[in-house]
Amino acid sequence: MRHMNRGRRLSRTSSHRKAMYRNMVAALFTHGRIITTPAKAKEARPFAEKLITLAKKGSDNLAARRRAIRLLHDPALVRSLFEDLGVRYKDRNGGYTRILHLSRTRIGDGARQVLFELVEGGVPASKTKTEKPRAAVVKDDESAKPAETTSTPEAEASTESAPEAVEAGDSAEASTDGEKAE
């Protein structure tokens, strides 16, 4: 009977298992997603979620930071954990990671593969919708009807004077037609 025996051994010694979980979670925090086997992902998930919960306590909590350093053995990774992930998941109550089963298998031994990834700030990374470019209406000087140009919200924020850019483009087009703009 397996009473009070939780977890999988994964054919490793306890020190090897702990090191493997530590390396998997470090790669997860660094890259945001890793590909592994279902058993390894299911075992590493509680370790990762406990570290993120620890990071949510705040960067000013020295005891939490030292505990995370003791578990991860990488002060630079702990710094990014507390400054980035702790802030990102501040309003989320658990469920910081997810496991997606992939249809492919590993080439060497045919093991099933999963995508073990962080959920992006309350919305899963693959389910975030990219914004479509909005049409901005800019009037041409030569014609009375408006000409539509597409721009993204980031481009609008970065360029404060969009009409000047359009005017410069119009004068460049006029010079290519044989007319010189002076």
Side-chain angles (χ1 to χ4, degrees):
M1 287 187 244
R2 286 184 49 90
H3 295 301
M4 301 294 288
N5 293 329
R6 63 174 284 275
R8 295 170 179 85
R9 291 189 181 174
L10 301 172
S11 299
R12 289 166 172 83
T13 62
S14 62
S15 60
H16 189 181
R17 262 194 318 274
K18 288 177 188 176
M20 182 188 63
Y21 296 151
R22 183 178 299 127
N23 290 334
M24 287 177 60
V25 169
L28 177 70
F29 291 158
T30 303
H31 302 290
R33 61 177 53 180
I34 58 173
I35 295 175
T36 185
T37 61
K40 288 179 186 177
K42 287 176 184 177
E43 288 300 312
R45 175 183 247 174
F47 186 68
E49 297 211 0
K50 286 175 186 173
L51 281 168
I52 293 173
T53 302
L54 200 61
K56 282 174 49 176
K57 291 184 178 180
S59 60
D60 56 339
N61 191 340
L62 184 61
R65 187 176 290 267
R66 285 181 175 167
R67 188 169 166 206
I69 290 172
R70 187 182 77 213
L71 293 172
L72 281 179
H73 296 255
D74 188 1
L77 183 63
V78 170
R79 186 178 313 115
S80 69
L81 172 69
F82 274 75
E83 292 172 1
D84 298 333
L85 294 178
V87 174
R88 183 192 310 176
Y89 296 116
K90 192 70 173 172
D91 297 328
R92 188 176 180 94
N93 297 324
Y96 314 113
T97 61
R98 67 177 178 165
I99 299 172
L100 296 173
H101 292 268
L102 301 175
S103 61
R104 67 181 189 196
T105 57
R106 194 162 50 201
I107 293 173
D109 60 353
R112 301 189 79 192
Q113 299 276 282
V114 296
L115 183 68
F116 182 41
E117 67 180 354
L118 293 171
V119 176
E120 298 295 326
V123 180
S126 62
K127 296 198 179 196
T128 56
K129 294 182 181 178
T130 57
E131 291 186 24
K132 294 181 180 177
R134 290 187 281 165
V137 178
V138 179
K139 289 191 176 189
D140 288 332
D141 293 335
E142 298 172 5
S143 64
K145 63 179 185 175
E148 291 188 15
T149 60
T150 59
S151 63
T152 59
E154 296 83 29
E156 289 178 358
S158 66
T159 59
E160 295 177 7
S161 58
E164 293 174 4
V166 173
E167 290 173 6
D170 288 342
S171 65
E173 288 175 9
S175 63
T176 57
D177 290 338
E179 302 172 8
K180 286 195 173 184
E182 293 183 29

